[in-house]
Amino acid sequence: MLTADAALLDALADCLESGNTLFEALEKVATAGSAAEHWTHDVRRSVRTEVPVAKALRESNVLDDDELLLLSADGADAVVASALRAVALRRRRSLARRRAIRWALLGPFALGALTVVLDPLPNLVTGGAYFWPVLRGLLLLVILALTVV
């Protein structure tokens, strides 16, 4: 699947709503940068001029299977543009959800690492073993992290 961020899909939806054909819209989106140019080149390779926009996007493998459900098979360009906006919003929410989960997991693991490092500190002052308890605690923290992830 060709991955496209939400901004590219929004830009494509804007161009389609303004009355551009798919090829004109792809040319305008390609001016956004090198990643957009590469993405539009890959999409343009798999699109034929005589097919509707929804079918062309289906054939170009731009959207996931669950995102394809939002596109009607023979919808008008304005309908496809609103569906692309819905897909872009869905991708933004998914990215925000993944980012929030990552940060939510980072806090407890950072606290655990701090605890593992500081817990044997009295042993260092009293002359006891420090390195082995820290190493054992960090190893257990890594095993826990691999289990969670």
Side-chain angles (χ1 to χ4, degrees):
M1 183 182 107
L2 302 173
T3 57
D5 64 350
L8 289 177
L9 294 176
D10 270 337
L12 186 61
D14 284 338
C15 293
L16 290 174
E17 281 180 345
S18 66
N20 294 322
T21 64
L22 181 60
F23 280 104
E24 292 169 347
L26 288 172
E27 286 177 14
K28 288 183 180 181
V29 170
T31 61
S34 63
E37 184 178 349
H38 178 69
W39 179 77
T40 56
H41 174 71
D42 288 342
V43 172
R44 209 179 292 137
R45 240 185 322 157
S46 62
V47 172
R48 296 186 316 267
T49 56
E50 65 273 358
V51 297
V53 175
K55 187 173 182 181
L57 289 175
R58 284 178 187 275
E59 291 175 358
S60 65
N61 202 18
V62 174
L63 306 173
D64 291 336
D65 291 335
D66 54 343
E67 294 170 345
L68 286 174
L69 297 174
L70 296 172
L71 287 176
S72 62
D74 54 350
D77 290 353
V79 175
V80 172
S82 64
L84 284 177
R85 288 197 191 285
V87 168
L89 179 63
R90 181 185 169 130
R91 287 187 181 186
R92 279 193 196 98
R93 286 183 181 167
S94 175
L95 180 66
R97 187 181 326 111
R98 281 193 302 267
R99 190 178 302 132
I101 290 171
R102 230 178 293 145
W103 280 107
L105 290 175
L106 181 69
F109 281 111
L111 187 61
L114 187 63
T115 302
V116 163
V117 170
L118 293 180
D119 187 40
L121 195 57
N123 291 345
L124 185 64
V125 174
T126 61
Y130 175 76
F131 181 71
W132 174 245
V134 169
L135 188 63
R136 183 182 59 221
L138 289 176
L139 181 65
L140 288 174
L141 194 63
V142 167
I143 290 171
L144 179 67
L146 292 175
T147 304
V148 170
V149 175

